[in-house]
Amino acid sequence: GKAYEIFGTVEDRAGNSLTYCVPFCGFNSHIPKIIMTEVQVKYKKYKEDAFRCEYVEFLALTDGNLSGLELVSGVDGDGKKFVFPPAAVKAGEVFIVHLRSAGSGCITETEDLNESTALYSGKNVRDIWVDNTKARLNDSADVIIIRNSIDGTILDALMYATEDTAEWGKGTASLAEDVVAAGIYESEEISEVELNSGLGSSAIKSFCRTDAAALQKRCLEETDDLEPLEYPVKRTASTWAVMNVSAGTL
């Protein structure tokens, strides 16, 4: 996952030469299986130093390294994607990526997992704060994916829309098709995705994965007697629900 540059000079028989420098990252051969377990798409300022910022909670189903994975929103586009830093995770580990830093206490945790004190920091789980103060994720409708930047594989996805959203906007339609092609959702139709309701500016609600605790228990107790978990994990009609915010708690 570390950044490198390859530098060299080429020359032809006539003596013409050209130098080049190509940046690249070290290849990650140990990609973990991870899923999104809670997504907060609403931003709100409560008081002078208290903010509700957009975040995504994750669960690692296997050991691995996050380097080279990307969190991408169809509305935000590739220009605003979050690229995970090199970080080792263990099966069953929960961590949170906060997509906007606002107020004090927005501390990315490396050792002390309770160092972050900003609103909706997770207790005893790793908080990662993105160096960004602008809006992320769309309030009404969006397609959010975890993608392996090396080969473009989609690891997990959440698609949502309000009841009055007629069609996907620019940037989300093609991404919705990719999610279906990956086998996570069965349809990219607006009427078939998660209904974004109850996530108003005052309500403390988020999209929560209803099978998260069961999947965590399964990966921690996995033995040879269990059938291997199918991955990516397919979404069903009951996979996601709008529930009370519970950052860091499955």
Side-chain angles (χ1 to χ4, degrees), residues 3 10 30 72 75 95 97 129 134 158 191 201 208 229 236:
V10 292
H30 196 34
V72 186
V75 172
F95 57 98
V97 174
W129 291 87
K134 304 297 183 182
L158 168 65
S191 59
S201 60
C208 295
L229 179 66
T236 68

Side-chain angles (χ1 to χ4, degrees), residues 118-132:
L119 200 61
Y120 298 122
S121 297
K123 293 183 179 180
N124 300 315
V125 300
R126 189 178 311 281
D127 289 283
I128 301 171
W129 291 87
V130 179
D131 185 16
N132 166 62

Side-chain angles (χ1 to χ4, degrees), residues 219-234:
C219 72
L220 289 173
E221 297 178 351
E222 190 160 352
T223 65
D224 294 336
D225 297 332
L226 293 173
E227 289 291 328
L229 179 66
E230 186 177 359
Y231 191 81
V233 180
K234 291 185 177 180

Side-chain angles (χ1 to χ4, degrees), residues 231-243:
Y231 191 81
V233 180
K234 291 185 177 180
R235 170 263 188 189
T236 68
S238 61
T239 297
W240 291 95
V242 174
M243 303 169 64

Side-chain angles (χ1 to χ4, degrees), residues 2 29 39 46 63 88 107 112 116 121 126 129 136 166 172 175 179 187 192 198 204 223 232:
K2 292 184 177 180
S29 61
V39 179
Y46 290 106
D63 298 350
I107 302 171
D112 182 357
S116 177
S121 297
R126 189 178 311 281
W129 291 87
R136 290 292 184 268
T172 52
L175 203 57
V179 169
S187 172
E192 299 298 320
I204 309 176
T223 65

